[in-house]
Each structure stands twice: as C-alpha cells, then as structure tokens.
Amino acid sequence: MSTLMNTYGTRTLTLTKGEGSRVWDDSGKSYLDAISGIAVCGLGHAHPALTKALSEQAATLLHVSNLYNIPQQQRLADLLIQVSGMEKVFFSNSGAEANEAAIKIARKYGNDRGVKNPSVIVMANSFHGRTLATLSATGNAKVQIGFEPLVEGFIRVPYDDVAAVKSAITEHKNIVAILVEPVQGEGGVRVPAADYLNQLRAIADQHELLLMLDEIQTGNGRTGTYFAYQHNGLLPDVVTTAKGLGNGMPMGACLARGKAAEVLQPGNHGTTFGGNPLACSAGIAVIETLLSSNLIARVKVLGDKLLADFKTALAGNPKVVDIRGKGLMIGIEMNAACPELVQKGRDLGILINVTAVNTIRLLPTFILTDAEADELVSKVVQLVNEF
Ligand SMILES: *Cc1c(COP(=O)(O)O)cnc(C)c1O
C-alpha cells in the first residue's frame, strides 16, 4: 500500500532520467517529452545552464528567508521587469500562490477605495489552482465539488465573451478586477479572439478595474512571446506566472504595475520560502538562456510549423473536431473522450496529455530539434488516426 495520499490515483510510469527533450523510465525505455512536466521544462531536461546555476547556488546558500536582502531575488525581479514591462514583483512557490497574491491585491485595491465586498470577474472553463481561493476562481465544478463553502467574491462569465463582461459590470457595482487566462490551458487550449484582451483592457480602463492575467502556463515564452499579452501590445495591471519560470524549481511570481503595484504594504503578505536564493538562481538562468539563445522566436516558428503540419496531416479525419494553439501550446480536440491516448502514446514512446476530456494537449520543450518536431507530429498523427 502506498503511503502517499491518493490525489493522483495509481501512477504506472516511473521516470528516472531526462536529457534535452527526452526522458527515460526505470526500465531504460525513452520517450519524447511532449508535455514538459505540464508546461514547466521549456528548456528541456538537464539543461547545462540550469545545472550549473543550481549546483553553484546549492553549494553557496540555499535559503535565508525574506527577513534579509536576497541579491538573486532582486536580479530576477529586474529581469522579469525587463521582459514584461511591469513594475514590481512578489515571488511565491507555485502558481496558485501567485494567484492568491493577485486576488489579495484585487480585494485590497477595492477595499482601499471603499468598495463593499469587492469582487473579481472570472471565466467559465478557467483554471487558477487548488487552494481555496483559486479553486473558487476556477471555472470547473470537478475542482470545486466537496470543498464548499467556496470563497466568495467571484462573478463568472463565459470565456471570450466581451458582452458578458460588460453586462456583469452593469449588474454588479462591486467589481474591482478581471482575472483571465490569455489562452485557457487546462480548459482545453482555448485561444480567444485576437482582440479579446484588448477589449478587456479598454473595459478595465473605463471602469478603473484591474486587468489581471493568469500567465502561469502561457508565460515564460510558451506562446512565442515572453508573456502572451505581448501579442496584443498591451500591459495588464497584474500578471501571474509560475510553471516555466523555474524550469522545474518550484516557484511563481505576481507582477504588478501602476496603482496595483502599490497595494501591498509591509505586513499585508508574505512567504517563508518564496524567492529564495536557490529558486531565484534557476529563474535567472531560465530568463538569461531564453534571451541569449533567441529561443522564444524559435517557439513561434516551431509552434506555427507543428500546427500547420497537424492541420495538413489530419485534414479530413472525421474524428478531429479542431486543431488550435499558440506557440508551443497545442490542442487537438477529438469528437469523443480520449483518455486512453495517454497510454497509447507511452507505448509509442511519446508523453502527451489529454485535458478537458477530449483534447490532446501538447506542451513540448522549446529546444525540440527539427527531427524531434517531425517525430512528434508523426507519432501524434498515428495516435489520432488509430483512435
Ligand atoms: C498550473 C496552473 C495554475 C496552478 O499552478 P500550480 O503551480 O499548480 O499551483 C494556475 N493557473 C494556470 C493557468 C495554470 O496552468
């Protein structure tokens, strides 16, 4: 009997080693990694820059707490500001915690302005995490059932529906923020209309709401720009990120700008581990590597190529409902539930994910070679054609 809580059911695959875009199991079988630890290992496995930064920092100083000045934290914050256009950073240990910081900013922003019961607009099909506030913000009953009472102060509208946001604001006088994913990840790789974020930006400006983007999955180069909002030429008031930021070191960040950047003051928020020297040394290595190797441009090229290749290879397959994506976030929606494709992929030597019941989700590394990209397409096309 396992002594682990049964949160993930029985897991049948044991991975023991990784290098580049490939991982190996305990029997020595290798797999092309098209999930990257759920959009985490954009730089792949055992990247030399990460290994060097982490081993040097581990041999020097792991942790001191936020009672002290941490130069690595300052350096990583400066880099994040440089790549984002935001102004201030709070470091956390996970995505959910980054969103908790964002939700606290929204509430205090509202309370400071005298709004009674300040509320945040959130979207159907969204995913924001598993803590009580973030599961309450999440638009998926499966995440919420059994954990009632939910945290109050969220008003839900359909995703990619600007009119619904406008009517929610007319109806509720206590709205202080909009929290939204630029592309919904867990929700099935949903890409909204090209000007959706621009329209939300205009609404937020008009009503003095905070536009808060959950870029936990879309950030750190995943969609072909450092943050996905950069495709829209705008700035949010708050943006959260995690996953790819540490390439496997658990860490997250909440970035803010303008009035949102001044909301949290000493005593309002904190964390023991967040932004510790080890985690930040990983974050620094990730951003420096992304910038110096021009990898984010490669993400766009690779993503466009994969999408085009899938559309060509799967054209006319009646079981394929839609093929969509942005950068290296790609979804292939099937006409029926397809969870068995995960195991079939393992048999073929590829790790994929199925989300929202019927959507194959691909989140490969940014360092895929052209040959690995072709291997990915041919294996996934085989899985789909045999479905
Ligand atoms: C993964 C994810 C989260 C939660 O991040 P954790 O690190 O698992 O807490 C929140 N929002 C989005 C969009 C995510 O993809």
Side-chain angles (χ1 to χ4, degrees):
M1 275 288 273
S2 173
T3 48
L4 295 169
M5 280 197 200
N6 197 23
T7 46
Y8 289 95
T10 306
R11 293 168 292 188
T12 51
L13 180 59
T14 306
L15 299 171
T16 52
K17 194 181 92 159
E19 193 183 330
S21 302
R22 241 169 254 281
V23 289
W24 283 261
D25 71 14
D26 52 356
S27 77
K29 176 173 166 147
S30 88
Y31 304 83
L32 181 64
D33 189 357
I35 181 75
S36 307
I38 318 184
V40 169
C41 305
L43 298 180
H45 302 281
H47 191 289
L50 262 290
T51 305
K52 179 166 185 286
L54 282 168
S55 41
E56 284 178 5
Q57 190 58 48
T60 309
L61 189 64
L62 289 183
H63 176 80
V64 292
S65 89
N66 285 304
L67 297 174
Y68 309 102
N69 183 38
I70 300 174
Q72 295 83 354
Q73 199 182 101
Q74 184 61 58
R75 166 86 182 129
L76 180 56
D78 291 347
L79 282 169
L80 277 169
I81 292 318
Q82 180 197 322
V83 295
S84 68
M86 302 296 284
E87 289 169 5
K88 305 252 170 159
V89 185
F90 174 83
F91 287 107
S92 65
N93 310 292
S94 66
E97 282 174 274
N99 281 340
E100 288 278 342
I103 294 163
K104 283 181 71 173
I105 288 173
R107 284 199 170 180
K108 189 155 186 300
Y109 167 76
N111 282 313
D112 287 350
R113 294 158 64 97
V115 177
K116 234 172 136 7
N117 295 323
S119 294
V120 178
I121 293 182
V122 291
M123 307 303 159
N125 280 315
S126 60
F127 183 77
H128 298 297
R130 298 287 196 155
T131 63
L132 279 171
T134 60
L135 77 82
S136 301
T138 289
N140 179 347
K142 277 198 274 182
V143 172
Q144 297 174 334
I145 287 169
F147 302 105
E148 302 84 356
L150 300 182
V151 172
E152 294 173 52
F154 297 106
I155 291 162
R156 195 170 311 282
V157 302
Y159 188 60
D160 198 14
D161 184 342
V162 173
V165 172
K166 286 185 183 161
S167 34
I169 292 167
T170 312
E171 190 183 333
H172 304 273
K173 296 298 162 207
N174 56 347
I175 290 170
V176 295
I178 303 168
L179 174 63
V180 59
E181 296 157 86
V183 176
Q184 288 188 331
E186 307 300 308
V189 193
R190 301 264 164 205
V191 185
D195 69 342
Y196 179 52
L197 293 186
N198 302 81
Q199 299 230 40
L200 294 181
R201 178 70 272 174
I203 294 170
D205 287 342
Q206 188 191 341
H207 297 277
E208 294 186 51
L209 315 180
L210 302 181
L211 178 62
M212 309 204 299
L213 301 181
D214 180 342
E215 294 233 25
I216 287 163
Q217 188 161 157
T218 53
N220 311 295
R222 178 58 55 187
T223 72
T225 49
Y226 194 92
F227 284 111
Y229 63 76
Q230 290 162 333
H231 292 288
N232 297 78
L234 54 75
L235 287 172
D237 301 294
V238 175
V239 60
T240 56
T241 194
K243 294 200 164 89
L245 178 59
N247 207 69
M249 273 305 288
M251 67 183 315
C254 176
L255 286 64
R257 187 179 64 89
K259 46 198 190 293
E262 308 306 325
V263 169
L264 296 179
Q265 292 300 321
N268 291 148
H269 199 46
T271 164
T272 299
F273 293 125
N276 90 1
L278 188 70
C280 289
S281 73
I284 294 166
V286 167
I287 298 183
E288 286 181 342
T289 305
L290 288 176
L291 296 182
S292 67
S293 54
N294 217 13
L295 265 177
I296 298 178
R298 169 89 179 143
V299 168
K300 181 157 180 3
V301 171
L302 265 175
D304 288 349
K305 177 190 149 50
L306 291 178
L307 210 53
D309 286 357
F310 281 126
K311 285 187 174 163
T312 307
L314 295 172
N317 184 320
K319 293 191 174 134
V320 177
V321 173
D322 191 23
I323 301 172
R324 53 184 177 250
K326 200 158 201 171
L328 288 176
M329 248 177 122
I330 295 175
I332 302 175
E333 184 178 339
M334 305 301 293
N335 68 353
C338 57
E340 69 270 27
L341 292 182
V342 170
Q343 182 56 48
K344 295 208 153 85
R346 291 177 189 177
D347 297 342
L348 269 187
I350 186 169
L351 301 184
I352 61 158
N353 173 250
V354 169
T355 190
V357 182
N358 64 353
T359 302
I360 300 170
R361 180 171 53 156
L362 304 170
L363 299 161
T365 73
F366 305 170
I367 58 164
L368 277 187
T369 62
D370 289 341
E372 286 166 337
D374 290 341
E375 178 186 344
L376 188 159
V377 172
S378 83
K379 286 186 167 162
V380 172
V381 165
Q382 183 181 339
L383 287 175
V384 170
N385 284 336
E386 288 172 3
F387 175 65

